[in-house]
């Protein structure tokens, strides 16, 4: 009789201990971090970010920590970019892996339509890809706002990315609409002007005052955050039935793309958070409401492909200008 009762009791204890452990680790991390560098919203020239209206409500501070994503690799790297590494995740551009995943022939699901979250996000990011090879900052940031809006309801683990991304998007928007707006209309224009003005940090050296980071450094950190989002969404969409669950796949992506950039405490917090990651079916339902599983998977693959295209364009521009080591 005692043997039959123990496993459910242990599972009950374990299911309650995970959130408590995550919360305790985050409290400890935030307490330690408050004594050092705290990434606060930047008071860029032209006013405070908080003074600008936003359609997004401030995200909860619970279960949040910065994600500094590692660049990936892709075939077809630019001639002046860092070389790609064949076979596996390369250190710079994202390897083309989105592929294709076709849903049965029927009307496009609402999530890809004009009012759907995925549709809005994809259109804004697509608009940032300028024909001349540049990246427009205003549509890029609008795409990020849509991505934050999309990721936030998918689970607390995404707060790792969305909280920090929201702060950086707000900081860059203050520059795009500030007194120096003529220099912040695109990535190339921003990088060129900040180099001429002596605003760029020394490679690998964090600024003493994080509220005065250059726009190029802020964009680099935000750019890295796109990698994990793209990789996680793609793996959720293409994971096979009976194979690793979405939480395992996104956790693996975290260890490959983010873990090397995070202190031990954040890595342990993330590891625990992934234990409570929603299942693949639930994530697909949240990502594309009202669609069949095949339609939701196909929609997520298309969205991940858009993020991949934007990441690779941005990666090439940063590499060509020697900005990948700013942070």
């Amino acid at each position: 009789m005692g043997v039959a009762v123990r496993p459910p009791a242990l599972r009950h204890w374990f299911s309650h201990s995970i959130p408590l452990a995550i919360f305790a680790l985050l409290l400890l991390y935030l307490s330690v971090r408050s004594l050092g560098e705290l990434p606060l919203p930047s008071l860029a020239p032209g006013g405070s970010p908080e003074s600008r209206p936003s359609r997004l409500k401030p995200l909860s501070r619970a279960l949040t920590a910065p994600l500094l994503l590692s660049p990936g690799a892709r075939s077809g790297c630019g001639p002046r970019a860092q070389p790609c590494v064949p076979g596996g995740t390369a250190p710079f551009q994202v390897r083309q892996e989105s592929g294709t995943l076709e849903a049965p022939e029927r009307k496009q699901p609402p999530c890809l339509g004009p009012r759907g979250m995925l549709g809005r996000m994809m259109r804004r990011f697509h608009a940032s890809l300028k024909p001349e090879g540049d990246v427009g900052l205003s549509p890029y940031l609008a795409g990020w706002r849509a991505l934050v809006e999309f990721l936030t309801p998918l689970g607390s683990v995404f707060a790792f990315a969305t909280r920090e991304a929201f702060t950086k998007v707000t900081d860059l928007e203050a520059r795009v609409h500030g007194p120096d707006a003529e220099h912040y209309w695109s990535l190339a224009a921003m990088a060129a002007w900040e180099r001429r003005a002596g605003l760029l940090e020394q490679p690998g050296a964090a600024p003493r005052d994080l509220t005065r980071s250059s726009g190029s450094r802020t964009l680099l950190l935000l750019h890295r955050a796109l990698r994990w989002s793209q990789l996680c969404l793609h793996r959720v969409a293409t994971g096979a039935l009976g194979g690793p669950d979405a939480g395992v796949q996104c956790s693996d992506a975290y260890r490959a793309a983010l873990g090397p950039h995070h202190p031990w405490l954040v890595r342990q917090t993330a590891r625990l958070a992934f234990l409570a990651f929603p299942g693949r079916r639930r994530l697909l339902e949240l990502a594309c409401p009202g669609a069949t599983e095949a339609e939701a998977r196909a929609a997520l693959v298309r969205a991940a492909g858009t993020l991949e295209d934007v990441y690779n364009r941005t990666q090439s521009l940063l590499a060509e200008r020697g900005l990948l080591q700013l942070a």
Side-chain angles (χ1 to χ4, degrees), residues 7-117:
L10 287 175
R11 286 196 299 270
H12 178 77
W13 176 87
F14 186 69
S15 65
H16 285 77
S17 66
I18 290 175
L20 291 175
I22 294 173
F23 182 70
L25 284 172
L26 279 171
L27 282 180
L28 177 60
Y29 170 71
L30 292 175
S31 298
V32 173
R33 197 162 184 259
S34 65
L35 301 177
E37 295 181 347
L38 284 174
L40 299 175
S42 173
L43 298 180
S48 168
E50 287 82 356
S51 65
R52 300 181 68 254
S54 171
R55 291 181 296 174
L56 293 177
K57 297 181 180 179
L59 303 176
S60 171
R61 293 184 180 271
L63 288 174
T64 59
L67 278 188
L68 306 181
L69 289 147
S70 167
R74 177 184 182 179
S75 60
C77 295
R80 298 174 59 188
Q82 297 289 349
C84 295
V85 176
T89 303
F92 293 111
Q93 284 200 325
V94 176
R95 177 169 53 86
Q96 181 72 45
E97 63 176 307
S98 292
T100 59
L101 186 64
E102 299 297 332
E105 289 294 333
R106 57 171 293 184
K107 189 169 67 173
Q108 177 176 271
C111 64
L112 290 178
R115 298 184 180 181
M117 286 188 182

Side-chain angles (χ1 to χ4, degrees), residues 96-182:
Q96 181 72 45
E97 63 176 307
S98 292
T100 59
L101 186 64
E102 299 297 332
E105 289 294 333
R106 57 171 293 184
K107 189 169 67 173
Q108 177 176 271
C111 64
L112 290 178
R115 298 184 180 181
M117 286 188 182
L118 284 179
R120 294 200 305 272
M121 179 195 74
M122 292 168 62
R123 283 188 295 277
R124 292 169 184 176
F125 272 124
H126 272 307
S128 73
L129 299 176
K130 301 299 182 183
E132 64 274 17
D134 204 349
V135 171
L137 290 185
S138 184
Y140 176 84
L141 297 174
W144 251 111
R145 280 191 171 270
L147 178 58
V148 169
E149 183 182 356
F150 168 71
L151 291 177
T152 300
L154 298 186
S156 59
V157 70
F158 284 103
F160 279 98
T162 56
R163 174 64 187 178
E164 188 72 3
F166 182 81
T167 300
K168 297 186 186 311
V169 166
T170 304
D171 173 75
L172 283 173
E173 284 178 333
R175 301 169 191 263
V176 169
H177 300 287
D180 296 318
E182 62 181 302

